Amino acid sequence: MEEKKCIITISRQYGCGGRELAGILAEKLGVKLYDRQIVHIAAAKLGLNDLSEAELLEMENTVKPVSMSFIPFHSFGMNMGSSSREMFHSESAAIRKLAENGPCVILGRCADFVLRKRDDVFSIFVCADDDFREKRGATAYEGKSLKELDKEDAKRARYYNYYTGLEWGEGANYDLVVNAGKDSLAKIADAIISYIHTVKG
């Protein structure tokens, strides 16, 4: 895998174990995992080092619900002045730079879209059924209810749609869709690696 310079991007439903799966994949492949580090790199480029992580994430993720007549943000070009848009462009630049540095796993941040023109990128969407997510919400996500998990997903979907013009979670937008509730995350990671070797080989 590493010698093929494969960059894996992972988008995921909240509460399905996607973050843990990303970590397992990175460890098995011996590559770095990037997530919130990207936010801090982007913030530094924008001179926002005095904000807390919670404030940075809130600024980055604040995207209002959109109407049916919505035109995707990326269609307008670069000159839109809000801090969240500037953050997105700064993050995108950070993601492209990290990809240039070599193989890695990138979690979220619309990385599949940002890197869509590269032929060494493999994009994954991780999901799970409601029962699985509800149980994980109670045990691994500080007691969050399924309703709370779904609320976070709605925010992620708005963010993704706003900046890419694509539908978050739509299978056709990814190289692979994985149901994390079907086996252990370690076994799923092994299956993903095997599949990537097959299609990239």
Side-chain angles (χ1 to χ4, degrees), residues 10-114:
I10 295 181
S11 299
R12 79 285 189 201
Q13 280 185 299
Y14 195 48
C16 72
R19 180 181 297 276
E20 292 91 331
L21 180 59
I24 293 169
L25 278 169
E27 184 176 358
K28 285 179 175 289
L29 295 168
V31 301
K32 291 184 178 179
L33 169 64
Y34 296 112
D35 178 18
R36 286 196 173 96
Q37 304 98 314
I38 293 169
V39 180
H40 290 283
I41 292 169
K45 291 168 77 72
L46 293 174
L48 299 173
N49 293 318
D50 56 333
L51 295 180
S52 69
E53 179 162 326
E55 288 171 325
L56 286 173
L57 293 173
E58 178 64 23
M59 182 184 74
E60 182 220 28
N61 287 318
T62 300
V63 176
K64 296 178 180 178
V66 295
S67 70
M68 294 299 289
S69 60
F70 169 70
I71 300 174
F73 163 69
H74 71 86
S75 299
F76 291 102
M78 298 288 283
N79 298 316
M80 301 180 72
S82 82
S83 58
S84 62
R85 291 164 185 152
E86 291 173 357
M87 176 66 93
F88 176 77
H89 287 305
S90 187
E91 283 188 18
S92 297
I95 287 167
R96 286 189 287 268
K97 178 63 176 176
L98 292 170
E100 285 297 323
N101 288 342
C104 58
V105 176
I106 302 176
L107 186 63
R109 315 299 163 197
C110 300
D112 57 295
F113 178 80
V114 173

